[in-house]
Amino acid sequence: QQKMKKIFFIGSGGHFKDVFCWYIDQLKHQKNHSEIKGIIDDNKTDLKFDSFSKLKIYKSEDLKVVKDVYLILAIGHMEIRKKIINQFSKYKFETCIHPRAIISENCSYKKGNIFGPNSIITGDAKIGNFNNFSQNSTATHDCIIGDNNFFSPSSSIMGNCGIGNNNFFGVSSNMIPGVKIGDDNIVG
């Protein structure tokens, strides 16, 4: 029998509120429930508890690497995301898939991704680690997406696109078919 996952969110800002709600929706729809333990946010430990979620706020140094602890990256700022991914590289990361997200069976993705409500990943898209697909964002056939890309609400990535790492896509941004971009870009 599998141990219950102990979940900690990283970050308690605005994006956390969305991701927290999406993960609660996910837990309501899956059979193996996880236990949400708290939030890691070194900038807000003076608060003790988050007023929105009522979760306890911990310092990163309070967290220990154990096999049943999983993290969810709930930060939107790209430079901070990069630092966090490096800082917590020894930890396991949970993938959050909202019940209304659609991921075609021929698609693949790695750890720590977030697929928000009505996000649609189709065809045979290949997705790396730590990507965030906010509500109503899409990626389609033959796309190869690297690590730590942030797709804001209603971003559309059309077929045969190549996306490197650490890119930020603004609200309603689009990539037309066949376009390739490298690393550290802001689109839209």
Side-chain angles (χ1 to χ4, degrees):
Q1 184 178 9
Q2 186 179 5
K3 276 183 116 175
M4 184 179 289
K5 293 178 182 177
K6 293 180 173 68
I7 302 294
F8 288 87
F9 291 88
I10 301 178
S12 62
H15 188 55
F16 160 75
K17 293 178 181 179
D18 289 342
V19 174
F20 174 75
C21 291
W22 299 341
Y23 193 66
I24 293 295
D25 288 346
Q26 176 179 335
L27 290 180
K28 288 177 186 175
H29 285 85
Q30 68 184 33
K31 293 179 181 163
N32 293 328
H33 293 286
S34 299
E35 180 184 6
I36 299 174
K37 299 297 285 184
I39 302 168
I40 306 298
D41 194 328
D42 290 342
N43 296 322
K44 295 195 180 167
T45 52
D46 58 312
L47 298 177
K48 304 290 185 222
F49 288 89
D50 174 61
S51 62
F52 176 75
S53 66
K54 312 299 186 237
L55 293 173
K56 184 174 179 182
I57 299 175
Y58 295 89
K59 292 181 182 177
S60 58
E61 64 195 36
D62 296 334
L63 194 61
K64 304 293 181 237
V65 178
V66 292
K67 65 180 175 182
D68 56 344
V69 168
Y70 287 77
L71 307 178
I72 295 176
L73 182 56
I75 294 172
H77 189 281
M78 294 307 292
E79 290 305 313
I80 297 172
R81 288 174 65 88
K82 284 197 266 187
K83 289 177 187 172
I84 293 294
I85 290 166
N86 186 49
Q87 178 182 350
F88 291 95
S89 63
K90 291 181 169 63
Y91 288 84
K92 295 178 197 161
F93 279 80
E94 176 81 323
T95 290
C96 177
I97 304 173
H98 191 274
R100 288 196 317 270
I102 298 170
I103 303 172
S104 296
E105 66 181 44
N106 292 324
C107 296
S108 63
Y109 57 88
K110 295 182 179 173
K111 71 178 179 182
N113 288 291
I114 295 174
F115 300 97
N118 304 314
S119 58
I120 301 173
I121 313 300
T122 63
D124 56 353
K126 291 176 181 44
I127 298 168
N129 302 297
F130 307 113
N131 292 287
N132 184 98
F133 291 88
S134 295
Q135 61 270 28
N136 302 312
S137 56
T138 62
T140 62
H141 65 89
D142 300 300
C143 286
I144 298 174
I145 298 172
D147 296 333
N148 191 35
N149 295 288
F150 193 99
F151 301 93
S152 296
S154 300
S155 299
S156 295
I157 310 304
M158 302 310 292
N160 200 34
C161 286
I163 297 171
N165 304 313
N166 308 311
N167 295 293
F168 181 86
F169 293 80
V171 173
S172 298
S173 58
N174 298 290
M175 281 183 66
I176 60 174
V179 173
K180 313 279 188 254
I181 64 169
D183 302 338
D184 301 305
N185 295 289
I186 297 172
V187 179

